[in-house]
Amino acid sequence: MSSLKGLAFAIAGMPAMRRLLPPRTAALTTVLYHGFFFAGEPRQRARDRLRRQLEWLSRSYRPLTLEQCQQALATGTVPPDALLVTADDAKVDLLEVHEEFAAFGVPLCVFVCAGWTAQASELSADDLLARTVAALEWQAGPDAVVSLGPEARPLSLGPASRSATIDALLAAPGYFVPHLEELLARLAQAGPTAGPRTICSWPELVSLKEKGVRFGSHSVSHIRLAAASQSRLRFEVAEAKRLIERKLAPCTAFAYPFGTEGTWNARTTTVVRASGASIAFLTHPGFATTGSELLHLPRFALPERAMPDAEYRGRVAGAGVALGALKARLALRRRGDLAAR
């Protein structure tokens, strides 16, 4: 076990401890994976673990497709033990494991970062702007200034100036778009050599779609949206939706990048709603019911490491909710004790 926290989840997942967890009611449990294979672990061992997880999910819950979840939440008809399994970022792991989900009858919904997928694909004019924004956002090279176009308009490269540079690009796309391939070449020269590809390309996602995988949006470049300018926020939400719908399928579900406190607010919710999203997910433990705010739905995020079966079951069954309630109760008691002194 990697930590005391992991041990607590494992204990909560034991059958004798189930009575301490939140009751199973007409609520939606949403599980979030990021990856399925971890460094230093044989792939067959990882596959076997995933199969045990999926066998338990199919036996203990009622797995739903994304569309079924949207319908159930919108109409107030969430069935008992409803389950949605999601994966963020569209990592290449999916190409090896999607058949396992199908074999156990567990539908899978993948939330796609459109700019990352564009970077993993052949160069295309259609997603060139998204590709460039993602490259600028995550460029790790030294600070530099490049001049583009006939007017030699300067753009600053590097981590310190990335937000202002992207805002400048989005403010004048008509000028900069014809020169984005040159900018990408400059970025490639300035940055470190890329490692193995980790994100699926558009054609790979199309192949997953043909095998029953559903898709939602995870923004263009995986930023903390609450900190973005208004123009950047609209671009991250609207452009990701446009590309996913053009390349894959209608897109009415959104998952906030990071999804933690401080990465969303009323302003981001307004933009997500205006994009046409009917549901949106955050990243905190909890169950969605017919009374839940549909653009602030919880998900049980799984740590990116191998987990014992008991810990996995504890996390999915709601141990995080129980532990959070216990921590809040202890904090209130501690404050009360301090006030009484």
Side-chain angles (χ1 to χ4, degrees):
M1 193 63 57
S2 64
S3 66
L4 289 176
K5 186 175 181 181
L7 178 60
F9 281 112
I11 293 171
M14 296 176 181
M17 302 297 290
R18 283 300 303 272
R19 61 186 177 84
L20 300 179
L21 298 180
R24 298 275 284 274
T25 60
L28 172 65
T29 297
T30 304
V31 179
L32 165 58
Y33 287 89
H34 279 93
F36 301 92
F37 302 108
F38 306 106
E41 181 185 39
R43 290 181 105 71
Q44 188 56 50
R45 182 181 298 173
R47 283 180 177 277
D48 290 342
R49 181 179 61 251
L50 177 60
R51 287 168 182 160
R52 291 194 303 273
Q53 293 172 355
L54 293 173
E55 190 279 329
W56 178 75
L57 291 177
S58 63
R59 173 168 42 86
S60 305
Y61 292 87
R62 186 181 301 187
L64 303 179
T65 65
L66 174 63
E67 294 85 355
Q68 289 171 330
C69 288
Q70 290 173 301
Q71 178 71 11
L73 289 166
T75 59
T77 57
V78 179
D81 301 328
L83 173 76
L84 176 65
V85 178
T86 67
D88 282 1
D89 306 336
K91 293 185 177 180
V92 293
D93 287 11
L94 294 167
L95 303 175
E96 295 189 49
V97 303
H98 70 90
E99 292 178 348
E100 304 292 352
F101 284 86
F104 285 94
V106 178
L108 180 62
C109 174
V110 176
F111 286 96
V112 178
C113 270
W116 287 358
T117 291
Q119 288 180 288
S121 306
E122 294 293 326
L123 193 64
S124 165
D126 190 43
D127 60 15
L128 184 58
L129 185 55
R131 176 195 292 257
T132 305
V133 167
L136 286 167
E137 178 62 37
W138 295 97
Q139 190 243 346
D143 292 344
V145 177
V146 300
S147 298
L148 297 176
E151 298 175 16
R153 294 190 190 182
L155 285 178
S156 298
L157 307 183
S161 56
R162 61 168 60 108
S163 294
T165 295
I166 293 171
D167 282 348
L169 190 156
L170 296 178
Y175 177 85
F176 284 112
V177 164
H179 311 289
L180 291 186
E181 290 189 39
E182 178 187 350
L183 177 57
L184 287 170
R186 300 277 192 95
L187 288 170
Q189 293 172 358
T193 302
R197 182 167 64 89
T198 60
I199 303 297
C200 289
S201 66
W202 291 119
E204 287 167 340
L205 293 184
V206 170
S207 72
L208 291 176
K209 172 195 169 186
E210 293 169 350
K211 296 175 174 67
V213 175
R214 269 69 168 186
F215 298 97
S217 170
H218 200 36
S219 81
V220 168
S221 62
H222 206 289
I223 61 169
R224 289 172 169 78
L225 294 175
S229 68
Q230 191 66 14
S231 61
R232 178 74 180 278
L233 171 58
R234 287 195 297 263
F235 174 80
E236 290 283 335
V237 174
E239 181 67 359
K241 175 182 171 67
R242 183 189 75 83
L243 286 172
I244 292 166
E245 292 192 329
R246 185 173 178 85
K247 305 283 189 179
L248 298 172
C251 178
T252 56
F254 185 82
Y256 275 91
F258 305 101
T260 52
E261 186 176 355
T263 62
W264 61 277
N265 54 26
R267 186 170 63 96
T268 62
T269 302
T270 297
V271 171
V272 170
R273 180 180 288 112
S275 76
S278 62
I279 60 173
F281 292 93
L282 304 176
T283 306
H284 64 82
F287 303 96
T289 67
T290 55
S292 296
E293 167 53 57
L294 296 183
L295 296 182
H296 300 153
L297 297 173
R299 287 194 290 177
F300 291 102
L302 303 175
E304 295 188 63
R305 58 172 172 79
M307 278 184 293
D309 294 346
E311 181 186 353
Y312 177 86
R313 295 176 184 183
R315 287 181 178 276
V316 174
V321 178
L323 291 173
L326 178 60
K327 286 175 62 177
R329 187 176 303 172
L330 291 174
L332 283 173
R333 180 175 297 176
R334 189 177 301 113
R335 286 198 292 270
D337 290 342
L338 291 173
R341 291 179 183 176

